[in-house]
């Protein structure tokens, strides 16, 4: 079975703090993704990566950065957390193929910024 | 901008009925179509995917694709209360990332 692990499930951070969200996958997937999900707004792509040290902006990259130093690990960084970044964050991974990339999600990280 | 549209619901059906969930997409180049189920407070889990026009069945689930009409649907036969969840439609083309709809909430009453 595909395993995407988000180490931090529930976090409470203060405004202005630097926040790291870590994600590890064990399926040797090339692609990794970070989404946030908010009521009424659905899933929105923040950043994705299709290879080590590669990153691409998604739909809402502002206020976020990412790091992919190893193939299995993809980190989301909030340089200075703000209250509007309170959300559920979902990491996902997939193979990189032309026949449709089934993506598999981690369990999610609930972040509250106070 | 690629768009995927779903009725937000809730769609309410009695136990044992057929639930029909619909999705339309804007990108005619879309090649692959996915249905995910998401229980409240949980992450999305893949139910099934479909690439070709027509029907694809997997147990109680049937995905239907009509590329000419840019329409994909999910039928759930013999609906159970445990099927109550939000169902997300997702679409992609080639190497591009998935575009998700906002989901349809399904409520199955006993």
């Amino acid at each position: 079975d595909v395993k995407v692990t988000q180490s931090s499930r529930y976090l409470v951070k203060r405004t202005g703090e630097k926040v790291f969200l870590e994600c590890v996958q064990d399926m040797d997937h090339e692609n990794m993704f970070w989404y946030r999900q908010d009521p009424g707004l659905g899933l929105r792509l923040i950043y994705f990566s299709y290879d080590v040290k590669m990153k691409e902006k998604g739909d809402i990259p502002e206020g976020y950065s990412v790091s992919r130093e190893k193939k299995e690990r993809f980190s989301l960084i909030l340089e200075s957390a703000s209250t509007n970044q309170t959300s559920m964050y979902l990491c996902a991974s997939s193979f990189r193929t032309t026949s449709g990339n089934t993506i598999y999600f981690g369990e999610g990280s609930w972040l509250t910024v106070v | 901008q690629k768009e995927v549209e779903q009725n937000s619901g809730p769609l309410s059906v009695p136990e044992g009925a057929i639930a029909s969930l619909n999705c339309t997409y804007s990108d005619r180049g879309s090649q692959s179509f996915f249905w995910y189920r998401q229980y409240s407070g949980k992450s999305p889990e893949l139910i099934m995917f479909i690439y070709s026009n027509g029907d694809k069945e997997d147990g109680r689930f049937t995905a239907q694709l009509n590329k000419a009409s840019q329409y994909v649907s999910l039928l759930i036969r013999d609906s159970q209360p445990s099927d109550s969840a939000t169902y997300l439609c997702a679409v992609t083309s080639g190497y591009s990332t998935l575009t998700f709809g906002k989901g349809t909430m399904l409520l199955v009453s006993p």
Side-chain angles (χ1 to χ4, degrees):
Chain A
D1 282 351
V2 175
K3 186 76 171 176
V4 180
T5 302
Q6 296 181 233
S7 53
S8 299
R9 295 295 315 281
Y10 302 95
L11 307 92
V12 180
K13 298 292 182 181
R14 294 192 180 278
T15 301
E17 275 194 80
K18 191 169 186 176
V19 181
F20 292 86
L21 298 178
E22 305 286 343
C23 176
V24 177
Q25 51 95 3
D26 66 357
M27 282 302 293
D28 202 33
H29 285 164
E30 294 89 359
N31 294 339
M32 295 190 75
F33 308 85
W34 275 105
Y35 290 87
R36 65 178 283 179
Q37 188 174 34
D38 303 285
L41 298 178
L43 278 163
R44 292 182 292 168
L45 181 63
I46 304 171
Y47 268 98
F48 67 100
S49 168
Y50 55 86
D51 202 351
V52 175
K53 297 193 184 294
M54 303 301 292
K55 61 183 180 182
E56 296 284 344
K57 292 180 179 180
D59 300 318
I60 53 163
E62 297 79 17
Y64 303 94
S65 62
V66 291
S67 172
R68 192 161 181 206
E69 296 296 319
K70 293 184 178 181
K71 188 175 185 180
E72 67 272 17
R73 188 179 297 270
F74 193 36
S75 302
L76 180 69
I77 303 158
L78 288 66
E79 294 288 344
S80 177
S82 63
T83 54
N84 63 11
Q85 292 178 310
T86 293
S87 185
M88 180 168 82
Y89 290 87
L90 287 161
C91 176
S93 70
S94 76
F95 288 115
R96 181 168 169 79
T97 70
T98 58
S99 61
N101 304 316
T102 301
I103 74 170
Y104 299 91
F105 287 92
E107 292 184 314
S109 297
W110 293 88
L111 172 66
T112 300
V113 182
V114 296
Chain B
Q1 176 135 358
K2 300 175 184 177
E3 293 183 345
V4 177
E5 299 288 341
Q6 295 180 257
N7 189 316
S8 61
L11 172 66
S12 296
V13 300
E15 184 174 357
I18 296 175
S20 178
L21 303 160
N22 303 316
C23 171
T24 59
Y25 58 94
S26 63
D27 182 11
R28 281 199 170 274
S30 299
Q31 299 173 325
S32 307
F33 307 85
F34 303 84
W35 283 100
Y36 286 82
R37 177 177 62 199
Q38 186 174 24
Y39 292 113
S40 180
K42 302 293 187 181
S43 62
E45 56 180 335
L46 180 70
I47 298 175
M48 61 192 306
F49 56 85
I50 186 168
Y51 301 147
S52 304
N53 275 330
D55 295 359
K56 179 181 179 182
E57 188 174 317
D58 184 359
R60 295 187 296 113
F61 299 97
T62 299
Q64 299 176 316
L65 175 60
N66 184 326
K67 288 186 178 181
S69 300
Q70 295 176 243
Y71 177 92
V72 58
S73 64
L74 179 70
L75 300 179
I76 307 175
R77 290 182 299 281
D78 189 23
S79 295
Q80 302 296 310
S82 58
D83 294 325
S84 297
T86 296
Y87 289 80
L88 303 173
C89 172
V91 173
T92 189
S93 57
Y95 284 118
S96 69
T97 59
L98 284 176
T99 300
F100 283 87
K102 293 182 180 179
T104 298
M105 181 183 293
L106 173 66
L107 297 175
V108 181
S109 54

